[in-house]
Amino acid sequence: MIDHIEKNGEQKEDRMLDRLDRRRLRLAGLGLVVATALVLVAGAVAGPRAAACGDVVLNENSWVGSTANVYVIKNVLETRLKCKVKVLNITEGQPAFQAMADGKIDIVLEDWQNLPGTPYEKSKSVVSLGTNGITGVIGWYIPRYLLQQYPAMKTWRGIRGKESVFKSPESGSQGMFLGGDPSYVQKDRALIKGLGLNLKHVVAGAEPAQVARWTQLYKQKKPVLFYWYDPQYLNAQYQVVQVQLPKRTATCKDDEKKGGDPKQYACAYPSYRLDKLVSKEFLASGSPALKLVRAFKWTSKDQNVVANLISGKKLSKDKAAAQWVKANAKTVNAWLK
Amino acid sequence: MSGVVAEASTVVTPALSHRPWWRGQPVQVALVIAAMWLAYRALRLEYPWPSRLAWETLQFELDRFQVWLIEQRSAEDKNVVFAVFDGFRALIDDLVRWLEELLLWLTWVGTGAAGTLVVWRFGGLRAALITLAAFALFALTGLWAESVQTLALMLAAVGLSLAVGIPLGIAAGRSRQVARFLTPVLDAAQIVPAFAYLMPVVILFSVGPAAAVVATMVYAIPPAVRITALGIRGVPVNTVEAAASMGSTRTQMLTKVQLPLARRMVLLGVNQTILFALSMVVIAGLIGGGGLGAVVNSGLSSTPSVALLAGLVIVVMAIALDRATEAIAERTDPARRHLDAARLRIVRLQTAAVAAGIVVVIAAAKLAGVGSTYPPAAGVRQRTVTAQEWLLTRIQSVLDYVQDPTSWIFSVTEPTGIFILQKLLLPLQQFLVEGPWFTTLLGLTFVAFVVSGLRPALTTFVMLGAIGVTGVWGLAMDTLSQVLVATLIAVVIGVGLGIAAAESKLVSKAMRPVNDVLQTLPQLVYIIPFIYLMPVSIVPGIVAGVLYAFPVVVRLVERGLHDVAPQSVEAAGAFGATRRQVLTKVKIPLAGDAIMLGVNQGIIMVLAVVVIGGLVGSGGLGYEVAQGLVRGYFGQGVIASFAILALGITLDRVTQGTRKARKEGLG
């Protein structure tokens, strides 16, 4: 908060405060009317309100890792800082950013570098607070058992010539490459072309649909080659290994929508820094929750533990988070210092 | 025989012809397709849509438009348009919040009691029991808070959809011009996937109840308009003429003649609007609708059993709303209510008693400190028992069985899926996608011409051409192959079951809950488990399309057969027609319009779930649309949605063409 304002010139600061004031006034007026109406018509029902921290809105995304982040932070906010936390489920990417710009979401705890390059980054209505401690890895994966029969498949070269191992009902004589969720960064079509592999890119749809495809093959100990990532709690349940793709070079391209020569894409995916994002309004609010979010940092192992409690052990999200927070008081205390 | 029927009928119907209207056409269509097939064999993969004929920068222009919109939105000096949107948003947000707060303030006991008693008073005991069961389920699943949130959202969305849709439907029913203007708009609203306009909706209305309501309304208004219009138009011409000759004004005509006679259809429209709105709960959840939709969305990848449970609650809510409105409409039907003064007094007393009862229950609940939800929010100490754990364990054990590739059922479903994929879908897909673009374009145009005439053929040519120019020819042909297969299956099942339901009370009764479930259960919650049983691409998407579309065909076919004037049926019976003859020679031809509307709506419904298909492995345009939303490829999403719309318009016009052609053949 403080360094944020210091960065601005004095004039800018004045203008901002002025703007904020006007806006607050308007908001307060509107709020008063709405509140009175609600009190009169429906009666006040809200329970005891936390004084210090106030309301904080977190956004939960569709993958379990994100759920783990959100509910752990929710637990700490509620139990330690006495905040009133609301969790939204706005779809990731642009809709969530717009919601942040509108002040409807305060915090996103895991962004796979979707923010850079959007108008929201340029207008600073959504601001990155840096890494949540986890590095995201995207790549080509195969089940570990496959390596017993085809040890060379550790790298992409081992797949060349053996593509038909991955044959499926829809791939004809070619091997099947099972593509990823539409919301994830992908360049597999270009990669296949660039590497000259005889694979057919088959879209499996959203993540749960893709999981259905590859886990069924896994359970039957059949070969399967698919787009996958880490951290992912299923990686603890299923033994999968990454296929080494050609090393990254300076000219490496990653978003196949940009087009061009497929050869330029023929290199491994980059690793992703998973960022915490906050809205401009929340950044200026000086909420104690902001301090916690700044300090929040954990590992993919931590995240997988919580994710597995939710998805594997079927604990409720709140219970799973509470269990982890209790067992990791030291880490949590460090966030609150 | 046919002449007699036409005379006996009070509905003015053209005389039936003995010559089948399609004579010769199958032969011609087969010839065209054979020619296309030869071209496909000879020139396979050699002529994809040429890039010289594609507008390649279109996508970037559209992307730029979205960036511009976002910038305008967050600009300091809001322009007037946005100020209007802001006001509208605040209004709907407040409406939904107010409804929700009200339902919470009443406490869970009060809300349940009030709902049940109101339905009991106006809709009778049966509907009241269904309502009570629904509220009990909200509580037992431990999803009361989410259910109430969704209920508030849906009440607002359905109310607003009807407030817009019914007047538009009346206008369209009374004036051909209005109908002609509205039809393409309605087509677009129903076919363009919600995923494509979610982002613009979010930019204009932000996230939250207002955005969710708007997205739901776009989809739920069309059935209200269409079916109301059909009802108004279905009012017998001689009745209208009689009223006019007695000097009715236009308003009198509407309120005293057309609306009362169209009442049944208008109410069918209300029911469809409810089901359509409820089918949007999950998509609305993506942009802040919250409630059960959010539970489904967040459960899909982490805990599918929870998603399925929430999906079932949505279905039960839909059924309860549907039955309650229907029962209320029936009981308050002026045609059936013949109240004398004494009876009226009793009814008024009942109303007062119910109102007093509701107040007493709420007051008692408030005094006893009953929580606003069940189970009460965290922190409140109160002993509660829900069946959530038990239900989730049951659902999970079903899911476990489904996900087990060593199960017996898997050994049946997997080969079936592979067979359908390899023998039906892939060949058709390859035929359309990999054939030379010009033979496919001309061939399909020619088929449209043979089937339904010059204008539909021109539409086909222009629409398919536009798809090619926007650069998604291959994807669109892929989707077309899937839509054709899904529609065909849906129509075959739907018409068959519709006829069976119209002929047999038992079938009709049994179909009803099946229809309700399939129309409102969020597709993803059952299609994803289904993929475990049939782990191949495309087929699960087809299944989603068929299951979503055929109930509408059933409903419209059944309703159409029911509404055939009884005199015609009696007359035919008097001439000694067998039941089968009555059905095939009288009822089906007379219900032709309603049946064709069913086919037509079936296509539109299949197209409406193309995006769901994209999410479960069908690829094609649906995948592009879904990706467009989340990855911020606005242009890609819009172009793919436009292509879906273009396919929809083409298929719609071609099937409507056959309806007209048949009418002319009849006349």
Side-chain angles (χ1 to χ4, degrees):
Chain A
M1 164 80 193
I2 291 166
D3 47 78
H4 174 72
I5 288 183
E6 270 171 6
K7 269 183 216 152
N8 291 311
E10 243 182 337
Q11 216 182 356
K12 209 171 170 190
E13 183 189 331
D14 278 346
R15 220 174 42 190
M16 196 180 78
L17 287 176
D18 189 6
R19 203 188 306 145
L20 272 175
D21 273 343
R22 256 189 293 145
R23 208 156 153 203
R24 278 204 190 120
L25 208 66
R26 240 186 296 157
L27 269 177
L30 188 76
L32 201 68
V33 172
V34 173
T36 324
L38 285 179
V39 168
L40 284 179
V41 185
V45 279
R49 284 200 152 214
C53 174
D55 294 350
V56 179
V57 186
L58 301 170
N59 195 42
E60 179 192 356
N61 294 128
S62 63
W63 60 96
V64 200
S66 147
T67 307
N69 299 329
V70 166
Y71 279 80
V72 164
I73 288 296
K74 174 174 183 257
N75 182 281
V76 178
L77 285 172
E78 281 175 346
T79 57
R80 305 288 186 88
L81 298 177
K82 308 289 174 214
C83 307
K84 211 169 163 246
V85 180
K86 203 171 147 197
V87 177
L88 291 185
N89 295 77
I90 308 301
T91 204
E92 68 164 318
Q94 302 235 5
F97 297 151
Q98 180 66 43
M100 293 177 90
D102 293 332
K104 302 261 178 145
I105 295 174
D106 298 322
I107 305 163
V108 162
L109 289 165
E110 184 175 315
D111 177 53
W112 289 59
Q113 298 295 326
N114 278 326
L115 179 64
T118 61
Y120 305 100
E121 188 206 25
K122 279 174 213 140
S123 66
K124 297 210 165 55
S125 46
V126 179
V127 182
S128 168
L129 292 184
T131 177
N132 67 7
I134 301 175
T135 303
V137 177
I138 295 177
W140 289 13
Y141 284 74
I142 53 172
R144 186 178 288 281
Y145 55 72
L146 212 55
L147 288 181
Q148 289 171 357
Q149 202 180 344
Y150 306 100
M153 285 195 184
K154 265 191 293 203
T155 75
W156 69 274
R157 281 176 211 283
I159 292 174
R160 196 164 50 181
K162 293 253 170 21
E163 290 96 338
S164 60
V165 168
F166 299 104
K167 237 171 28 182
S168 79
E170 53 268 78
S171 66
S173 61
Q174 294 175 300
M176 172 177 77
F177 180 89
L178 206 54
D181 186 294
S183 60
Y184 303 154
V185 192
Q186 289 167 69
K187 59 168 177 176
D188 307 308
R189 281 198 183 87
L191 251 170
I192 290 167
K193 245 192 217 155
L195 296 176
L197 295 172
N198 188 22
L199 292 169
K200 184 172 175 187
H201 184 277
V202 171
V203 290
E207 185 173 305
Q210 193 214 12
V211 170
R213 290 294 304 272
W214 72 256
T215 56
Q216 278 309 61
L217 290 165
Y218 185 103
K219 285 182 223 158
Q220 299 173 77
K221 292 272 179 281
K222 286 184 181 164
V224 55
L225 170 65
F226 57 107
Y227 173 100
W228 198 236
Y229 65 98
D230 190 75
Q232 226 293 349
Y233 84 100
L234 284 175
N235 296 350
Q237 209 172 318
Y238 296 90
Q239 303 284 309
V240 292
V241 288
Q242 216 182 334
V243 176
Q244 255 179 40
L245 294 168
K247 283 223 167 57
R248 289 185 64 76
T249 58
T251 55
C252 219
K253 281 164 95 177
D254 293 309
D255 186 353
E256 71 181 352
K257 295 275 167 191
K258 299 250 156 71
D261 183 7
K263 288 249 180 331
Q264 294 174 303
Y265 294 91
C267 54
Y269 280 93
S271 51
Y272 287 85
R273 195 183 79 186
L274 308 189
D275 277 353
K276 302 169 287 188
L277 308 179
V278 292
S279 73
K280 187 169 156 188
E281 270 177 45
F282 184 69
L283 193 64
S285 72
S287 159
L290 182 64
K291 224 182 113 203
L292 171 72
V293 176
R294 272 191 203 282
F296 168 65
K297 198 174 264 190
W298 64 348
T299 65
S300 60
K301 215 175 131 200
D302 292 328
Q303 195 193 56
N304 278 341
V305 169
V306 182
N308 193 43
L309 287 176
I310 296 168
S311 272
K313 301 263 158 60
K314 312 281 176 214
L315 248 57
S316 83
K317 295 167 184 175
D318 283 309
K319 273 188 198 148
Q323 191 171 325
W324 186 89
V325 168
K326 208 174 153 197
N328 294 271
K330 234 169 138 186
T331 319
V332 174
N333 287 336
W335 298 339
L336 289 164
K337 254 178 209 157
Chain B
M1 162 89 215
S2 54
V4 175
V5 171
E7 273 162 41
S9 165
T10 51
V11 185
V12 175
T13 318
L16 297 177
S17 153
H18 290 286
R19 197 164 52 88
W21 57 274
W22 42 264
R23 175 172 289 170
Q25 279 182 348
V27 184
Q28 292 171 351
V29 170
L31 282 175
V32 175
I33 290 173
M36 285 166 73
W37 191 77
L38 283 176
Y40 160 72
R41 294 299 292 184
L43 302 169
R44 189 176 164 190
L45 281 174
E46 298 212 4
Y47 295 95
W49 190 275
S51 57
R52 263 171 303 142
L53 284 180
W55 181 5
E56 280 170 339
T57 55
L58 176 62
Q59 191 172 330
F60 305 111
E61 313 270 343
L62 288 165
D63 284 345
R64 267 210 289 281
F65 169 73
Q66 174 165 306
V67 170
W68 175 82
L69 202 60
I70 292 170
E71 281 165 357
Q72 290 296 305
R73 178 70 186 157
S74 48
E76 280 315 311
D77 304 304
K78 286 249 170 78
N79 99 35
V80 187
V81 180
F82 287 115
V84 170
F85 279 114
D86 276 347
F88 187 68
R89 169 180 96 195
L91 196 72
I92 300 184
D93 271 349
D94 287 350
L95 173 68
V96 176
R97 292 232 171 81
W98 180 81
L99 271 170
E100 193 190 330
E101 301 256 343
L102 176 69
L103 293 177
L104 290 174
W105 179 82
L106 292 173
T107 73
W108 67 273
V109 173
T111 302
T116 309
L117 287 172
V118 167
V119 174
W120 177 64
R121 163 62 191 86
F122 294 103
L125 187 63
R126 213 174 145 260
L129 286 178
I130 294 173
T131 311
L132 184 65
F135 279 116
L137 188 79
F138 298 168
L140 282 177
T141 50
L143 293 171
W144 184 276
E146 289 84 357
S147 303
V148 161
Q149 208 177 351
T150 294
L151 186 60
L153 191 73
M154 285 299 119
L155 288 177
V158 170
L160 289 169
S161 298
L162 294 176
V164 178
I166 291 182
L168 282 181
I170 292 171
R174 303 182 90 194
S175 147
R176 288 268 163 206
Q177 270 103 342
V178 175
R180 211 167 292 146
F181 170 75
L182 278 180
T183 306
V185 180
L186 299 178
D187 289 345
Q190 253 181 307
I191 295 171
V192 168
F195 276 73
Y197 55 77
L198 282 189
M199 192 54 205
V201 165
V202 167
I203 296 173
L204 295 177
F205 298 97
S206 189
V207 297
V213 165
V214 169
T216 307
M217 282 172 70
V218 172
Y219 192 59
I221 288 175
V225 180
R226 278 187 217 273
I227 302 178
T228 305
L230 192 72
I232 299 279
R233 240 176 279 135
V235 172
V237 176
N238 30 16
T239 316
V240 173
E241 277 167 6
S245 69
M246 297 216 225
S248 294
T249 63
R250 268 182 78 81
T251 324
Q252 280 173 336
M253 178 82 79
L254 179 67
T255 54
K256 309 271 176 196
V257 179
Q258 287 176 314
L259 273 181
L261 284 176
R263 199 183 143 97
R264 275 175 70 86
M265 277 310 252
V266 174
L267 291 173
L268 176 70
V270 173
N271 284 1
Q272 283 297 309
T273 304
I274 290 172
L275 295 183
F276 271 58
L278 267 291
S279 77
M280 285 291 285
V281 167
V282 172
I283 288 176
L286 292 173
I287 52 170
L292 297 167
V295 177
V296 170
N297 285 323
S298 75
L300 276 177
S301 57
S302 60
T303 39
S305 53
V306 176
L308 205 50
L309 184 67
L312 291 173
V313 176
I314 294 175
V315 172
V316 171
M317 187 184 290
I319 292 179
L321 278 172
D322 177 76
R323 299 296 187 278
T325 47
E326 189 189 31
I328 292 171
E330 293 259 322
R331 290 252 305 208
T332 52
D333 190 342
R336 296 187 184 195
R337 266 164 50 125
H338 301 290
L339 296 177
D340 51 30
R343 183 87 189 107
L344 196 66
R345 253 187 60 197
I346 297 174
V347 167
R348 286 204 177 131
L349 275 175
Q350 279 176 346
T351 311
V354 164
I358 291 172
V359 172
V360 168
V361 171
I362 292 166
K366 288 301 257 188
L367 285 174
V370 173
S372 59
T373 65
Y374 183 96
V380 182
R381 285 220 160 259
Q382 195 173 326
R383 269 177 50 123
T384 53
V385 185
T386 71
Q388 192 186 45
E389 294 280 322
W390 186 85
L391 285 166
L392 287 179
T393 321
R394 292 297 158 290
I395 295 174
Q396 190 58 48
S397 68
V398 173
L399 289 178
D400 286 343
Y401 180 75
V402 163
Q403 296 182 3
D404 176 10
T406 60
S407 71
W408 173 80
I409 190 156
F410 185 81
S411 68
V412 177
T413 52
E414 199 207 17
T416 312
I418 293 175
F419 180 84
I420 298 174
L421 180 76
Q422 289 184 332
K423 301 289 175 230
L424 188 60
L425 287 164
L426 287 182
L428 184 61
Q429 184 201 62
Q430 280 161 8
F431 172 63
L432 287 173
V433 174
E434 295 175 1
W437 66 273
F438 42 87
T439 56
T440 308
L441 177 62
L442 292 177
L444 292 177
T445 305
F446 204 70
V447 169
F449 176 72
V450 173
V451 172
S452 52
L454 186 62
R455 277 184 68 140
L458 280 176
T459 308
T460 306
F461 185 79
V462 171
M463 288 294 153
L464 295 183
I467 288 173
V469 169
T470 53
V472 287
W473 177 260
L475 293 163
M477 287 302 114
D478 183 355
T479 295
L480 176 64
S481 70
Q482 299 173 25
V483 168
L484 288 177
V485 172
T487 306
L488 181 72
I489 302 174
V491 166
V492 167
I493 298 177
V495 171
L497 281 175
I499 292 171
E503 291 293 292
S504 145
K505 275 250 157 61
L506 194 73
V507 177
S508 173
K509 275 226 172 91
M511 272 315 296
R512 184 112 193 248
V514 174
N515 288 355
D516 296 329
V517 171
L518 291 178
Q519 252 189 289
T520 52
L521 185 62
Q523 286 93 15
L524 287 177
V525 309
Y526 66 84
I527 287 297
I528 286 172
F530 181 80
I531 299 173
Y532 285 92
L533 289 177
M534 233 177 237
V536 289
S537 9
I538 312 178
V539 184
I542 299 279
V543 170
V546 170
L547 290 183
Y548 189 57
F550 91 80
V552 169
V553 185
V554 173
R555 267 178 196 237
L556 290 170
V557 169
E558 185 190 353
R559 189 63 63 133
L561 289 174
H562 263 304
D563 285 353
V564 168
Q567 298 93 316
S568 325
V569 178
E570 277 164 28
F575 278 90
T578 62
R579 194 170 163 189
R580 200 180 142 163
Q581 281 172 331
V582 169
L583 180 67
T584 54
K585 306 262 151 126
V586 181
K587 284 191 184 170
I588 293 179
L590 284 181
D593 261 11
I595 293 175
M596 280 316 288
L597 182 70
V599 174
N600 215 261
Q601 289 290 296
I603 291 171
I604 290 177
M605 301 287 279
V606 166
L607 284 161
V609 291
V610 161
V611 175
I612 302 291
L615 290 175
V616 296
S618 293
L621 296 168
Y623 185 89
E624 298 289 297
V625 175
Q627 190 175 44
L629 172 68
V630 278
R631 297 224 35 87
Y633 305 137
F634 177 68
Q636 173 185 322
V638 170
I639 291 172
S641 308
F642 169 78
I644 295 175
L645 178 62
L647 287 179
I649 292 175
T650 307
L651 290 168
D652 176 74
R653 297 300 177 268
V654 171
T655 49
Q656 272 189 2
T658 61
R659 184 159 88 197
K660 270 182 210 134
R662 193 167 58 146
K663 264 192 175 165
E664 280 150 20
L666 290 169

